[in-house]
């Protein structure tokens, strides 16, 4: 039992390393722009291209990896992330860094889907949810500590040191998987045709639209977090690192809060989320130029931002109850499509209107998400098509 617990924690460490790799560049984009000699909007594509590749390849790579031993899949993904971070630390060419953002992005959704499924299978059925939650906690901890620590190392040591940290975390998780993870093959799954049937539901596509818009709302501004605080609030690099850590810590508490809200009333919580984001962006826009009010704004922003993942995933899952794994792959892909769209829109705003106008883009996407949620509600409650599952939707429409 103790070894199983260590395996689950190792998977959580792997998720932490992968999230730190994916999102750590958010806090060091200004340094990358300076040291590699590219415009801030160009550097922002290091966030966007990662998400775009995940969005385009997620369901296909996860499907292709389904016949490969789980330990091999996990170890290969972590090895790729380790090498990629080492390349970031060593290169002085933007083109090389760009290529090595694409390569690990192919393995990102595979690692997540396998890690979550494996964690649930490694423990007794009554502890499966807790094990999967432990693994998924690596995401929040990555935002809370991995991203700001990357920013801190870049500011106080060097950009290379920040990326060597990412390489070290992924290497440690790789060694843990090799030493602790048992031999395990994939379970039988629904036929491809049965899973694809959920794509015929208009409800599902409105839920997908909401997911894309929510993540675009989140990352059109968060993707340029450091740029906003440096240009608008006039914070130093070390102060930005502190703000990132505070943002992440508040995310941990906000995630718990939104989880409880979803348990009580999922539909109202999902409907309220984009409204809250519009209000938060209004606050960020107004107080952005002032340090102390913006410090409060960052805390409010982090608390609401934390709910985006769990709120949008639960909304999409309602219309994919009879094909949950395929539904999760759609969530991973389309949430990353939203990140790509948001990052591109944010870069366009920064280059054409200035960083202070970023909250406008986020608020616009949040309103699109609200419209998609309201349209989805008009179609009635979710109904799973699988045998014995009809009518098991929770809450109202």
């Amino acid at each position: 039992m103790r070894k199983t617990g260590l395996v689950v924690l190792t998977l959580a460490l792997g998720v932490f390393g992968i999230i730190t790799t994916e999102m750590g560049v958010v806090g060091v984009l200004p340094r990358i722009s300076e040291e590699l000699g590219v415009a801030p909007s160009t550097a922002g594509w290091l966030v966007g291209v990662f998400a775009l590749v995940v969005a385009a390849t997620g369901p296909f790579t996860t499907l292709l990896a389904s016949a490969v031993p789980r330990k091999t899949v996990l170890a290969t993904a972590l090895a790729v992330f380790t090498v990629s971070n080492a390349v970031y630390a060593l290169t002085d060419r933007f083109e090389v860094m760009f290529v090595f953002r694409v390569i690990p992005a192919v393995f990102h959704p595979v690692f997540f889907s396998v890690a979550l499924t494996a964690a649930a299978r490694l423990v007794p059925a009554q502890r499966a949810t807790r094990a999967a939650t432990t693994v998924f906690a690596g995401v929040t901890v990555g935002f809370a500590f991995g991203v700001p620590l990357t920013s801190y190392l870049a500011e106080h040591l060097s950009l290379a040191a920040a990326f060597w940290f990412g390489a070290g975390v992924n290497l440690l998780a790789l060694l843990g998987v090799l030493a602790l993870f048992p031999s395990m093959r994939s379970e039988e799954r629904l036929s491809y045709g049965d899973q694809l049937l959920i794509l015929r539901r208009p409800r599902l596509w409105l839920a997908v639209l909401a997911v894309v818009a929510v993540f675009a709302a989140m990352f059109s501004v968060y993707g340029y977090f450091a740029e906003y605080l440096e240009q608008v609030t006039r914070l130093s690099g070390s102060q930005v690192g502190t703000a990132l850590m505070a943002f992440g810590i508040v995310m941990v508490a906000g995630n718990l809060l939104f989880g409880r809200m979803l348990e009580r009333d999922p539909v109202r919580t999902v409907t309220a989320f984009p409204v809250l984001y519009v209000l938060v962006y209004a606050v960020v826009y107004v107080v952005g130029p002032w340090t102390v009010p913006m410090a409060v704004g960052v805390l409010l922003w982090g608390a609401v931002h934390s709910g985006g993942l769990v709120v949008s995933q639960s909304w999409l899952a309602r219309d994919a109850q009879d094909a949950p794994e395929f539904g999760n792959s759609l969530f991973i892909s389309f949430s990353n499509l939203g990140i790509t769209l948001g990052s591109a829109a944010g870069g366009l705003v920064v280059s054409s209107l200035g960083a202070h106008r970023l909250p406008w883009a986020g608020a616009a996407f949040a309103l699109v998400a609200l419209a998609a949620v309201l349209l989805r509600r008009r179609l009635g409650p979710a109904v799973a098509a699988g045998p014995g599952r009809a009518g098991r939707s929770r809450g109202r429409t």
Side-chain angles (χ1 to χ4, degrees):
M1 186 63 69
R2 180 175 297 178
K3 182 178 179 180
T4 298
L6 288 175
V7 173
V8 173
L9 289 175
T10 297
L11 295 175
L13 179 64
V15 169
F16 170 79
I18 286 175
I19 288 297
T20 299
T21 301
E22 180 184 8
M23 301 310 305
V25 297
V26 168
V28 299
L29 282 180
R31 305 287 85 76
I32 293 173
S33 178
E34 293 171 7
E35 295 192 21
L36 275 63
V38 297
S41 58
T42 301
W45 272 102
L46 294 176
V47 179
V49 73
F50 194 105
L52 180 61
V53 172
V54 173
T57 66
F60 306 106
T61 53
T62 303
L63 186 63
L64 288 173
S66 62
V68 180
R70 308 292 84 186
K71 185 171 185 175
T72 301
V73 172
L74 295 169
T76 301
L78 290 169
V80 169
F81 273 84
T82 301
V83 171
S84 296
N85 275 280
V87 171
Y88 305 155
L90 295 170
T91 189
D92 58 0
R93 296 181 58 191
F94 179 79
E95 295 83 358
V96 174
M97 186 176 290
F98 188 88
V99 169
F100 277 87
R101 291 290 288 176
V102 171
I103 295 172
V106 174
F107 291 84
H108 173 285
V110 180
F111 183 91
F112 266 77
S113 61
V114 172
L116 289 168
T117 303
R121 291 179 59 196
L122 285 168
V123 299
Q126 64 271 23
R127 296 181 56 203
T129 300
R130 182 179 300 179
T133 301
T134 300
V135 173
F136 205 68
V139 175
T140 304
V141 176
F143 275 102
F145 300 104
V147 174
L149 185 54
T150 299
S151 176
Y152 179 88
L153 292 172
E155 182 66 24
H156 291 83
L157 295 178
S158 67
L159 185 61
F163 291 132
W164 282 122
F165 164 70
V169 172
N170 283 284
L171 178 60
L172 184 60
L174 169 60
L175 296 175
V177 166
L178 292 175
L180 300 172
F181 197 85
S183 297
M184 179 184 292
R185 300 197 68 84
S186 59
E187 297 177 306
E188 284 189 31
R189 299 186 177 185
L190 294 171
S191 71
Y192 301 149
D194 286 342
Q195 296 182 70
L196 291 172
L197 283 175
I198 68 172
L199 298 178
R200 299 172 61 181
R201 301 171 186 168
R203 293 177 177 85
L204 178 76
W205 288 107
L206 284 171
V208 164
L209 176 59
V211 168
V212 172
V214 163
F215 275 80
M218 292 165 64
F219 286 89
S220 57
V221 188
Y222 179 76
Y224 298 89
F225 187 94
E227 202 75 30
Y228 190 87
L229 293 183
E230 288 188 4
Q231 290 190 16
V232 179
T233 318
R234 304 297 181 185
L235 300 186
S236 66
S238 60
Q239 289 174 321
V240 170
T242 301
L244 275 167
M245 183 166 289
F247 187 96
I249 291 173
V250 171
M251 277 186 64
V252 176
N255 189 63
L256 294 174
L257 175 62
F258 274 100
R260 291 179 180 177
M261 290 170 63
L262 284 166
E263 289 178 357
R264 293 178 180 178
D265 196 328
V267 175
R268 287 185 178 177
T269 300
V270 172
T271 307
F273 180 79
V275 177
L276 287 173
Y277 229 136
V278 170
L279 295 176
V280 165
Y281 280 147
V283 171
V284 169
Y285 177 76
V286 171
V287 306
W290 292 278
T291 302
V292 175
M294 186 57 189
V296 178
V298 165
L299 298 179
L300 292 173
W301 184 7
V304 175
H305 185 91
S306 65
L309 190 147
V310 64
V311 165
S312 54
Q313 191 277 336
S314 67
W315 190 238
L316 179 56
R318 289 164 59 86
D319 292 305
Q321 295 176 43
D322 46 341
E325 292 185 359
F326 185 61
N328 282 333
S329 74
L330 292 175
F331 170 73
I332 292 170
S333 289
F334 282 100
S335 61
N336 279 275
L337 177 60
I339 294 174
T340 303
L341 292 175
S343 298
L348 182 62
V349 170
V350 169
S351 61
S352 60
L353 299 176
H356 192 201
R357 303 296 191 274
L358 278 169
W360 291 6
F365 281 121
L367 291 174
V368 173
L370 176 61
V373 169
L374 293 176
L375 286 172
R376 164 63 190 83
R377 290 184 61 174
R378 287 177 63 88
L379 294 181
V383 178
R389 294 180 179 267
R392 291 181 60 185
S393 61
R394 298 165 69 180
R396 292 166 298 188
T397 60

